[in-house]
Amino acid sequence: MNVTHYFSAIEQADTYKRYGKVQQVVGIMIESQGPDANIGEVCYIHPASSSKRKILSEVVGFNNEKIILMPYSELTDIGPGCLVESTGKSLAIKVGRGLIGKVINSLGESLDDTALPKGLASFPTDQSPPNPMARAPISEPIQVGVKAIDSMLTVGKGQRIGIFAGSGVGKSTLLGMIARNSEADINVIALIGERGREVREFIEKDLGEEGLKKSIVVVATSDQPALMRIKGAYTATAISEFFRDLGYKVNLMMDSVTRIAMAQREIGLATGEPPTTKGYTPSVFATLPKLLERTGTNEFGAITAFYTVLVDGDDMNEPIADTVRGILDGHFVMDRKLAEQGQFPAINILKSVSRVMNQIASDEHKSTAQQVRSLLSTYEQNSELIQIGAYKRGTDQMIDKAITYYPKIQTFLKQDIFEHKTLEESIDMMKQLINGGM
């Protein structure tokens, strides 16, 4: 047996543990003299009292050879002179099939006081996006189980979609419907910056027992430090990548990208970055593409991703919404006006687009969807004239047709929360609608 390389490894091993010392704490930032560490490495901060737990933190910057750390938990128990120990590694979590049905935090720890199952593999949370040449083209549709999406905005396997909406328009409800009705093998759901009250509500009401059976939920609530909120997104994406590489059809649902951007802005401002567009720092616009490009297809499988974007004051052109829309492969716009009229899901078909629908839908399907879109558009353009009674029937054949079909289209686009339709059923219903069968 050749043991030479073992001796070589022993000779090169560093047997010393090196520590640094906390020198100052400013806001959410800890400044330490030493140890040797690189950006993204995890460090332990040892509290003055040995009975307290070590505090996990991450290197986020440097200042005159001092390292800037940010903790994954609260800053309590940290004082001047506390020892800082580098692990020499970035954050890794435990992943495997045993996680399915579990609710975990950003560090991969169980949130329901039960121990994680044995046999899980260690997996780094920070990964590079797949090589563009290794990405298989999106060629087949995936069933979402929502009539309005499957028929009018068909989603492809491995597509990345943005769901744009103001607060209280039904984003979480729509995500729950997709999680229950989709044909994906596994759902990975990231609830980032949510109110603590909403987490259990989403799991029990929107997701339900049936949805949880094939889901992994990653939670980072709004009261947690900025770093935990960002790591929640990275952890959920890493779990999706792990299952994609095993060949599973994975759905990643992240609510919401806006709160990830806000957390990154907090970190950027704390480390001294200049605020730019609407107070967002340059690192926000560098982080978003790196995170969002990690999903999609690769040589092993596909992650179909749904990212919600909370638009400020229903302004679809605010900086984060604009940036995310430019990165993703389509966007669904949820309209407050439709929600107020009682149409759920409140997706505005005319403002929404699926950029891969033309590649994955049949010619008949595309033609029928275009006819429905055209009728909706004609009605919307003339809605004021129609509603005040200024339009006389017989003046324009297309407007007459739009008036006849509009109530039927609205009925078709509505769907009860627990109503389930397959992709084929949704397309057939749309064809019947146009051919006068509904």
Side-chain angles (χ1 to χ4, degrees):
M1 181 182 173
N2 186 6
V3 293
T4 317
H5 63 283
Y6 289 109
F7 287 126
S8 172
I10 291 166
E11 280 169 20
Q12 290 170 18
D14 187 352
T15 55
Y16 288 94
K17 268 197 175 181
R18 290 178 172 82
Y19 293 91
K21 274 190 176 182
V22 171
Q23 294 207 321
Q24 73 167 357
V25 174
V26 180
I28 57 172
M29 182 183 75
I30 302 160
E31 207 170 89
S32 159
Q33 185 73 51
D36 290 340
N38 300 322
I39 292 280
E41 272 186 26
V42 172
C43 292
Y44 288 116
I45 300 173
H46 295 256
S49 168
S50 57
S51 61
K52 306 273 186 184
R53 282 181 68 183
K54 290 185 285 190
I55 294 158
L56 211 56
S57 59
E58 187 175 302
V59 180
V60 293
F62 300 97
N63 179 22
N64 294 332
E65 297 192 12
K66 291 175 183 170
I67 67 170
I68 297 169
L69 299 151
M70 211 156 270
Y72 288 116
S73 55
E74 296 304 322
L75 285 161
T76 48
D77 302 325
I78 296 174
C82 282
L83 293 180
V84 181
E85 176 194 350
S86 174
T87 62
K89 299 172 186 172
S90 59
L91 184 68
I93 52 159
K94 297 286 185 185
V95 197
R97 279 197 58 84
L99 272 189
I100 299 171
K102 288 280 184 187
V103 182
I104 59 172
N105 68 10
S106 305
L107 306 178
E109 300 163 344
S110 179
L111 274 184
D112 56 6
D113 296 329
T114 59
L116 289 179
K118 289 183 169 59
L120 301 178
S122 189
F123 197 72
T125 60
D126 207 350
Q127 304 273 347
S128 298
N131 182 328
M133 295 306 291
R135 285 189 184 273
I138 296 167
S139 56
E140 56 178 294
I142 189 167
Q143 175 186 302
V144 173
V146 178
K147 282 188 294 183
I149 296 172
D150 281 341
S151 60
M152 301 292 296
L153 302 160
T154 314
V155 174
K157 191 168 85 176
Q159 188 176 353
R160 298 160 307 142
I161 291 286
I163 299 171
F164 293 74
S167 52
V169 186
K171 295 188 303 300
S172 298
T173 306
L174 179 60
L175 288 184
M177 286 173 75
I178 294 170
R180 287 193 311 274
N181 300 346
S182 164
E183 62 175 306
D185 302 319
I186 292 170
N187 298 309
V188 181
I189 303 165
L191 304 176
I192 312 295
E194 287 288 322
R195 303 172 192 89
R197 172 186 66 81
E198 288 185 333
V199 171
R200 195 160 166 189
E201 267 183 28
F202 174 81
I203 292 165
E204 291 181 3
K205 291 184 183 174
D206 296 327
L207 189 57
E209 198 178 324
E210 182 192 337
L212 188 59
K213 275 180 194 167
K214 63 169 188 172
S215 302
I216 300 166
V217 184
V218 182
V219 174
T221 49
S222 57
D223 58 296
Q224 292 184 326
L227 199 58
M228 277 292 264
R229 281 175 268 147
I230 287 180
K231 287 298 164 186
Y234 279 74
T235 296
T237 308
I239 293 169
S240 306
E241 288 167 326
F242 175 84
F243 285 107
R244 172 180 65 186
D245 293 350
L246 292 176
Y248 287 92
K249 282 191 283 189
V250 185
N251 268 0
L252 171 64
M253 285 167 264
M254 198 173 286
D255 186 12
S256 74
V257 173
T258 312
R259 294 196 176 112
I260 296 162
M262 288 174 174
Q264 183 61 43
R265 175 173 64 184
E266 270 182 59
I267 291 173
L269 292 171
T271 52
E273 279 189 78
T276 51
T277 322
K278 263 204 170 180
Y280 288 104
T281 56
S283 63
V284 172
F285 302 101
T287 300
L288 287 176
K290 278 197 290 189
L291 176 66
L292 303 180
E293 281 290 334
R294 284 170 60 180
T295 52
T297 58
N298 72 356
E299 62 267 43
F300 304 111
I303 300 170
T304 309
F306 298 88
Y307 298 99
T308 70
V309 181
L310 192 65
V311 287
D312 235 359
D314 294 333
D315 173 17
M316 295 295 164
N317 297 314
E318 56 103 23
I320 299 303
D322 216 28
T323 304
V324 172
R325 194 166 49 228
I327 298 166
L328 299 178
D329 311 317
H331 51 273
F332 301 161
V333 176
M334 300 193 75
D335 197 325
R336 193 174 297 279
K337 204 192 320 179
L338 292 175
E340 286 166 355
Q341 289 168 5
Q343 181 177 319
F344 289 102
I347 300 169
N348 187 320
I349 299 295
L350 298 176
K351 289 182 182 174
S352 305
V353 69
S354 167
R355 290 184 188 168
V356 303
M357 184 173 172
N358 286 340
Q359 297 160 222
I360 57 174
S362 67
D363 290 340
E364 189 188 1
H365 178 184
K366 285 186 282 190
S367 165
T368 311
Q370 192 52 50
Q371 285 178 43
V372 174
R373 200 176 270 269
S374 177
L375 289 167
L376 272 175
S377 177
T378 304
Y379 188 92
E380 290 295 331
Q381 285 168 8
N382 299 280
S383 61
E384 287 183 14
L385 288 175
I386 296 164
Q387 283 162 11
I388 62 172
Y391 174 76
K392 289 184 180 173
R393 274 186 179 271
T395 311
D396 185 303
Q397 194 178 353
M398 193 63 192
I399 298 175
D400 288 348
K401 191 176 178 184
I403 293 169
T404 305
Y405 275 89
Y406 188 74
K408 296 177 185 175
I409 294 170
Q410 293 299 91
T411 305
F412 166 70
L413 293 175
K414 284 181 186 174
Q415 187 168 338
D416 188 65
I417 295 171
F418 294 100
E419 186 184 344
H420 178 259
K421 293 279 183 243
T422 65
L423 178 69
E424 292 75 20
E425 283 173 346
S426 298
I427 296 167
D428 286 345
M429 285 176 78
M430 179 175 67
K431 288 175 184 172
Q432 284 174 26
L433 166 70
I434 285 299
N435 297 330
M438 278 181 79

